[in-house]
Amino acid sequence: MSCGPKRALAQAISPTPTLTCVASLIELVRAHTDLDPEDVAWLQLLQADWQIIADLSFADLILWLPDRAGAGFWAGGQMRPTTGPTAYVDDIVGTFVPTGRRPHLDIAYAEGRLVREGDPEWRDDVPVRAETIPVRRGQRVIAVVGRNTNLLGVRTPSRLELSYLQTAADLTQMIAGGHFPVPGQRSDHADTPRVGDGFLRVDEQGRVVYASPNALSVYRRLGHSGDLDGLRLSEVTRELVPTRLRPDEEALSAVLGGRANRDAEIGAGSVSLIVRAIPLRPHGRLIGALVLVRDVTDLRRRDRELVTKDATIREIHHRVKNNLQTVAALLRLQARRMDSPDAKAALEEAVRRVGSIAIVHEILSQAVEGSVAFDDVADRLGGMVADVGSLGGRLRVRREGSFGELPSETATTVAMVLTELLQNAVEHGYPGLDEAGGTILVTAARPAGRLVFTIDDDGQGLPPGFDLEGSSTLGLSIVGTLVESELGGRLTLGPAPSGRGTRAEIDVPLS
Ligand SMILES: Nc1ncnc2c1ncn2[C@@H]1O[C@H](COP(=O)(O)OP(=O)(O)OP(=O)(O)O)[C@@H](O)[C@H]1O
Ligand SMILES: [Mg+2]
């Protein structure tokens, strides 16, 4: 894969400056080659796993596509090793090599055999050993892979390096023989193990021939002490992991026995790992397998925390908000079709009620904890109410003081109460539409353990003989119920202290 996350990682660890993705494999195939869709699928399958081969080889891999007219090869993909230095500082994808310039490409393609050059080439002051691997699908060679090792990175081989290189040799042999890639049952998650996460080589019986230090650490975390050499990986794992936390018996022995090209996730109480096997058949016959293991405990724990705590809750608020907005839109549509002004007004009021709840859910969908900085909500509600109807523009809603942080349930209720009271101020305080306008003032304070807020208008004031207890209209009933039953607080309604207009005051305890 020359583009995407793998590439980003390869870039991050290589000393290469920023690269751009020149062209995709499919575009290059279409433009320059005669390869058919099945060939392309085969090459893509190869690219899905060639990071493993690059890492095991400590080498760069380049996929060369044969030109339609036989004039040479096009570079269709590039993979850098994460285990060693790159041999290519530049991006190769999209470049063309004419026949004759790199004879080993021509030979590998024409004769269908691995070609290794004797002497290293020097490229940009870097000694590079180049090898070419024919990619066989069925009876045909459909492309070649160049494997180029930056010899500056080559160290005296240890057991680890020899095991890596031997496994890489088996895999390249399989590519040349048409036995790799292998279509397999792989979950295509981003957590798939890499060579550096933990590498094991098992024989055809599933017995460990070599385990890298990282692989041993993973098994130590599972509870295994000592070496793994000579042990059957499936048996060791079966003893360490309770039945309910591991895949079924068939999957377990297929993956850990190295008999199937697939992966599996295994959990052992507090430890989770992903295991991936690639059976090795360099000459067609199974000689063992490469098994990669990765400890994903931290990843899984973070996943779980994220899902339970934050993401799900926020997603739900988001959906509720969307649904409420849909409801509001439907009501608005219906209001427009009404002939009766009363019915129209009632529906428009319903639109605002629903809209105010939607605003709270929108804020909650962005909130990190289960609480909301309510000033933002209050200001948006004020804006929404002031905007409405023919009064729009001549009424101002101002806030003094701060509501502070409110728990999400309280926030929803307070938002509804505030909407109703603002609504009343607009509707009943300023009935004469051509008046000079007015100012609605919202004040909020948080004395210890309480929230106290007021809504003052400078309008015409309450009607004579108004009695809050005796009123049975919908708006104030909603407010009364919410304040008293839901919030356990108190609502008062009376003349504003300024001497003009009305004040509504709400006082609620906060736990
Ligand atoms: N800020 C205010 N200024 C003047 N009168 C008000 C104010 N707030 C409430 N009132 C009076 O109280 C009455 C009852 O208000 P309430 O909100 O319960 O009903 P409504 O606004 O008439 O109808 P709705 O149920 O649609 O809200 C209003 O009709 C109005 O006469
Ligand atoms: Mg009202």
Side-chain angles (χ1 to χ4, degrees), residues 349 420 424 428 475:
E349 209 163 329
E420 288 302 327
N424 277 355
H428 308 298

Side-chain angles (χ1 to χ4, degrees), residues 326-384:
T326 309
V327 172
L330 287 172
L331 291 173
R332 196 174 300 124
L333 211 66
Q334 227 166 342
R336 269 192 219 131
R337 296 176 166 216
M338 286 289 159
D339 290 322
S340 138
D342 279 353
K344 222 183 182 67
L347 283 174
E348 273 164 4
E349 209 163 329
V351 169
R352 281 191 294 279
R353 285 185 174 130
V354 173
S356 73
I357 309 173
I359 287 178
V360 178
H361 282 286
E362 183 176 357
I363 306 262
L364 286 173
S365 76
Q366 292 152 9
V368 184
E369 304 293 353
S371 69
V372 181
F374 196 79
D375 290 349
D376 192 19
V377 182
D379 295 351
R380 287 180 62 178
L381 293 175
M384 184 176 78

Side-chain angles (χ1 to χ4, degrees), residues 403 414 417-418 421 442-445 451-455 504-507:
F403 287 87
V414 171
V417 168
L418 189 59
L421 295 172
V442 177
T443 70
L451 166 69
V452 179
F453 62 101
T454 61
I455 296 98
E505 179 169 346
I506 279 98
D507 187 339

